[in-house]
């Protein structure tokens, strides 16, 4: 029982004594705190005491494309905790290869009477997808918020990182280290975040190195899959084009980039520098620790919850895009370009966080 109390207290962010008062129906506990404790019971899978089995404030669905990339569990945790604190019960629905589609998961959640749905990196990010599905959901009266990806065809609040600024941070950092042959490894071109990263990358390469946009996109941008193997394949192609630095669109791809470099007998960062994107949990402890663009996951997750609760409460947030600024975190996978070591650096770089 003590272990159970500790788990519930940690989940709800309150003391064990407070949990005990709620479970025993004692007075002197604020209603919001009481709701947090009851929601924590639900999330952890404990039965509510019979006398406390009133409905939670409601279920909120969270649909993610996968959980293998650690950035998705990290975002799900932020969103789940924020919902629980507000008395809602999060329901995590994950797409898997050969499993349920986004539409099937949506139908399942709607059938279960969810109060709203948060989509992360869903079909709204795919420029080839039919956006009519979201209008149909709105017609059913189900509020929703879309994270990572934007479509002007959908009337809804969007939560996004600034992908263009992210690429500016990465390229500026590498140019300041003397790199001029910088490659970009990223996912399929039909996705909005991919298109925005390319725009930011091409523009910064043009601004800082005077390279032609067409030339950059043709020779220095490599599309692949958002996996370790995808990063490995893209990096092998970019190394063959004499790149001395690789910017990757996810940390998983960056781990693949490091593997590709080592397979060719190259040292990271001595021979080739690698930059990731996300700052996923544990990525600071790779070999070498990964320089990456930190996605503002806590701020984005909390904004998604605030926004969906405003939609549910009947005071909808503006149907526009809320854009969050990423941050460069410099670690051990980037260094001066080969042949540049010991020379004074002639380029300036934006303020960055070393870690």
């Amino acid at each position: 029982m003590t272990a159970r109390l500790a788990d519930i207290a940690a989940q709800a962010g309150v003391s064990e004594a407070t949990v005990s008062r709620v479970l025993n129906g004692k007075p002197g506990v604020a209603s919001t705190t009481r709701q947090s404790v009851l929601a924590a019971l639900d999330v952890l899978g404990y039965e509510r005491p019979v006398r406390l089995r009133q409905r939670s404030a409601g279920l909120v669905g969270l649909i993610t494309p996968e959980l293998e990339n650690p950035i998705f569990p990290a975002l799900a945790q932020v969103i789940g905790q924020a919902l629980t604190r507000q008395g809602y019960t999060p329901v995590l629905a994950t797409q898997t290869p050969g499993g349920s589609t986004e539409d099937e998961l949506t139908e399942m959640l709607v059938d279960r009477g969810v109060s709203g749905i948060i989509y992360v990196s869903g079909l709204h990010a795919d420029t080839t997808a039919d956006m009519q599905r979201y209008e149909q959901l709105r017609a059913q009266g189900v509020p929703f918020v879309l994270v990572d990806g934007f479509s002007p065809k959908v009337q809804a609040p969007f939560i996004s990182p600034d992908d263009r600024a992210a690429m500016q941070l990465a390229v500026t950092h590498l140019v300041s280290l003397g790199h001029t042959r910088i490659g970009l490894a990223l996912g399929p071109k039909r996705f909005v975040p991919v298109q925005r990263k390319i725009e930011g990358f091409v523009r910064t390469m043009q601004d800082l190195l005077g390279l032609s946009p067409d030339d950059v996109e043709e020779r220095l941008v490599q599309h692949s899959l958002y996996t370790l193997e995808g990063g490995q394949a893209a990096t092998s192609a970019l190394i063959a084009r004499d790149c001395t630095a690789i910017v990757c669109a996810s940390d998983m791809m960056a781990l693949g980039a490091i593997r590709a470099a080592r397979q060719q007998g190259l040292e990271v960062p001595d021979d080739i520098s690698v930059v990731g994107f996300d700052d996923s949990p544990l990525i600071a402890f790779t070999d070498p620790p990964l320089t990456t663009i930190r996605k503002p996951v806590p701020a984005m997750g909390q904004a998604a919850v605030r926004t969906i609760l405003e939609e549910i409460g009947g005071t909808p947030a503006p149907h526009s895009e809320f854009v969050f600024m990423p941050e460069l975190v410099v670690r051990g996978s980037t260094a001066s370009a080969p042949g540049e070591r010991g020379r004074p650096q002639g380029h300036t770089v934006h303020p960055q966080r070393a870690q």
Side-chain angles (χ1 to χ4, degrees), residues 160-175:
S160 306
D162 192 330
D163 289 299
R164 298 182 186 93
M167 293 301 99
Q168 183 184 17
L169 287 169
V171 172
T172 302
H173 168 61
L174 292 168
V175 169

Side-chain angles (χ1 to χ4, degrees), residues 163-172 174 180-186 194-209 211 213 215-222 238 243 245-248:
D163 289 299
R164 298 182 186 93
M167 293 301 99
Q168 183 184 17
L169 287 169
V171 172
T172 302
L174 292 168
T180 56
R181 298 283 300 178
I182 301 167
L184 175 61
L186 74 185
V194 169
Q195 295 173 5
R196 289 176 170 183
K197 285 185 177 76
I198 293 172
E199 288 171 21
F201 179 79
V202 168
R203 187 181 307 143
T204 310
M205 293 287 279
Q206 181 182 20
D207 291 347
L208 296 185
L209 298 173
L211 300 179
D215 198 32
V216 171
E217 191 158 352
E218 186 180 328
R219 292 186 305 118
L220 300 176
V221 174
Q222 186 67 38
L238 291 166
C243 289
I246 311 289
V247 179
C248 297

Side-chain angles (χ1 to χ4, degrees), residues 57-72:
L59 305 175
V60 173
L62 171 61
I63 300 182
T64 66
E66 49 147 324
L67 290 176
E68 288 182 3
N69 184 334
I71 200 65
F72 293 123

Side-chain angles (χ1 to χ4, degrees), residues 115-186:
S115 301
I117 301 176
I118 298 172
Y119 293 86
V120 177
S121 298
L123 290 168
H124 63 277
D126 186 341
T127 56
T128 64
D130 182 2
M131 297 298 156
Q132 193 60 37
R133 54 176 46 87
Y134 298 110
E135 292 314 308
Q136 289 169 357
L137 188 62
R138 179 167 300 289
Q140 291 176 270
V142 181
F144 58 93
V145 172
L146 303 162
V147 180
D148 258 351
F150 175 76
S151 172
K153 298 174 186 172
V154 182
Q155 290 299 303
F158 290 85
I159 310 285
S160 306
D162 192 330
D163 289 299
R164 298 182 186 93
M167 293 301 99
Q168 183 184 17
L169 287 169
V171 172
T172 302
H173 168 61
L174 292 168
V175 169
S176 79
L177 294 170
H179 293 276
T180 56
R181 298 283 300 178
I182 301 167
L184 175 61
L186 74 185

Side-chain angles (χ1 to χ4, degrees), residues 236-247:
S236 296
L238 291 166
I239 288 173
R241 294 175 213 156
D242 301 321
C243 289
T244 62
I246 311 289
V247 179

Side-chain angles (χ1 to χ4, degrees), residues 271-295:
D271 301 313
I272 188 163
S273 289
V274 175
V275 179
F277 181 88
D278 283 336
D279 198 28
S280 314
L282 302 181
I283 214 69
F285 306 103
T286 56
D287 177 29
L290 189 66
T291 294
T292 190
I293 303 295
R294 176 175 293 159
K295 196 172 188 174

Side-chain angles (χ1 to χ4, degrees), residues 33-54:
T33 305
R34 190 178 300 276
Q35 283 295 336
S36 293
V37 171
L38 295 178
L41 281 177
D42 297 340
V43 169
L44 295 171
Y46 293 126
E47 287 281 329
R48 292 188 181 194
V50 176
R51 65 180 172 277
L52 299 177
R53 282 184 198 165
Q54 56 217 72

